[in-house]
Amino acid sequence: MSHADILYAFAMARLRDSALAEEAVQETLLAALTAQQSRHTDFRGESAVRTWLTGILKHKVIDLFRRQAQARTAGDLQETLEQAQFDANGHWRLKPGEWPTPEAAVEQREMGRALSRCIGALPNPAASVFSFTELDGIPQQEICNKLGISPTNYRVILYRARLALRRCMEQHGFGLNGEP
Amino acid sequence: MLNCHEASQLASSRMEAVLPLTKRVSLGVHLALCRHCRRFARQIERLRRVARATQTEAGAELSQEARERLRYALQQQARGTGD
């Protein structure tokens, strides 16, 4: 079941809900099975299979997210988040600190874990909008269409997510010389 | 002249879309003068690189029950009984 576990971890990074992630894995594997039955697919090696499966999953994940978003009262990142970081004149209250360089592989992994935790602390839809944009690089237009949000709203959600995440990363110890 | 709040918004927006020329110029001027906003712009680009490199949730694993449910669903489908 190792494919299923990878798919599940992949879905969890985007949906952050175990029941939804399980559904995404199931729909992906069922779709894969159907595709296999209807035409002969020949893969060279495990990694090709995995790439194919995660490709299917990416679409399932965003569809599932849209379906459940309709039934949910959206918690969103509020304007107070911006007010906490900027004063009335628009100057930084919480000045960004210097982050460590260079970006060594080990450090990158550590940052990855911290970023996952920080994304997990965001309310939805901010967490998923950020994930679809930054983990998957799905174009703005497609995300707006699928999730039914306006381009303006999308920009605001993403901006606030970035403000919150940048701050959260510093709270996890990634800011050097910054203010506490 | 942009303030930091506005500059940081533009620094975020330019990651998804090309800004109109006047905004690009204003942002460029602000960034040239403000190291806090330069850091912000660099750091949100870095969040993107870290995100791209981190595709899965560390430690996320299917529960035993979820595994059973999956196996059952796949068997049903394989037998052609649908869902």
Side-chain angles (χ1 to χ4, degrees):
Chain A
M1 293 291 272
S2 69
H3 282 318
D5 276 319
I6 291 284
L7 291 175
Y8 181 73
F10 197 93
M12 274 301 277
R14 288 153 181 79
L15 294 165
R16 308 200 161 265
D17 176 298
S18 55
L20 270 184
E22 184 187 331
E23 210 177 327
V25 175
Q26 179 170 324
E27 288 196 6
T28 300
L29 292 175
L30 289 176
L33 198 58
T34 309
Q36 280 278 286
Q37 284 165 345
S38 60
R39 74 189 128 84
H40 188 68
T41 333
D42 194 20
F43 292 108
R44 269 182 236 145
E46 288 289 287
S47 72
V49 177
R50 191 155 289 174
T51 305
W52 178 60
L53 289 173
T54 50
I56 299 174
L57 185 77
K58 278 183 193 180
H59 295 282
K60 296 288 178 196
V61 158
I62 195 165
D63 288 340
L64 272 174
F65 182 78
R66 173 184 47 185
R67 256 186 274 156
Q68 65 117 41
Q70 288 164 349
R72 180 193 50 204
T73 45
D76 209 344
L77 293 171
Q78 301 301 317
E79 205 181 342
T80 49
L81 184 104
E82 293 178 41
Q83 287 155 0
Q85 299 215 20
F86 298 96
D87 66 22
N89 296 320
H91 295 129
W92 289 100
R93 254 191 240 279
L94 303 163
K95 296 182 176 63
E98 192 66 70
W99 284 10
T101 49
E103 305 178 20
V106 176
E107 195 179 285
Q108 195 86 351
R109 269 200 301 280
E110 207 180 304
M111 279 188 90
R113 276 196 293 274
L115 181 59
S116 279
R117 280 198 299 275
C118 289
I119 297 173
L122 290 178
N124 252 332
S128 292
V129 166
F130 182 86
S131 299
F132 296 143
T133 304
E134 300 295 52
L135 274 67
D136 296 329
I138 297 174
Q140 164 178 347
Q141 192 60 49
E142 190 180 338
I143 296 176
C144 288
N145 287 347
K146 290 213 164 169
L147 302 186
I149 52 180
S150 72
T152 306
N153 200 8
Y154 171 82
R155 271 198 303 280
V156 172
I157 291 171
L158 210 45
Y159 170 66
R160 288 182 185 164
R162 285 173 175 144
L163 271 183
L165 289 172
R166 201 208 63 76
R167 181 74 190 134
C168 177
M169 293 298 280
E170 295 202 338
Q171 286 164 337
H172 276 86
F174 285 97
L176 301 177
N177 319 318
E179 294 179 5
Chain B
M1 183 72 189
L2 297 175
N3 63 34
C4 295
H5 192 177
E6 294 160 337
S8 64
Q9 287 168 332
L10 291 180
S12 174
S13 296
R14 76 171 177 184
M15 291 174 70
E16 278 71 50
V18 179
L19 298 177
L21 184 62
T22 50
K23 288 188 175 171
R24 236 180 307 159
V25 171
S26 323
L27 177 62
V29 170
H30 185 99
L31 290 182
L33 299 172
C34 176
R35 94 189 134 102
H36 302 304
C37 288
R38 273 203 302 282
R39 278 183 186 163
F40 177 79
R42 263 205 313 273
Q43 288 168 1
I44 61 177
E45 300 266 0
R46 186 146 169 204
L47 290 182
R48 166 168 289 177
R49 289 194 297 281
V50 173
R52 292 272 151 95
T54 314
Q55 288 290 316
T56 54
E57 183 75 3
E61 224 175 80
L62 283 160
S63 67
Q64 201 51 47
E65 297 77 31
R67 232 172 269 276
E68 288 304 320
R69 284 194 292 271
L70 262 181
R71 192 168 293 135
Y72 180 76
L74 289 170
Q75 280 166 356
Q76 292 294 306
Q77 165 108 355
R79 287 200 201 101
T81 47
D83 44 45

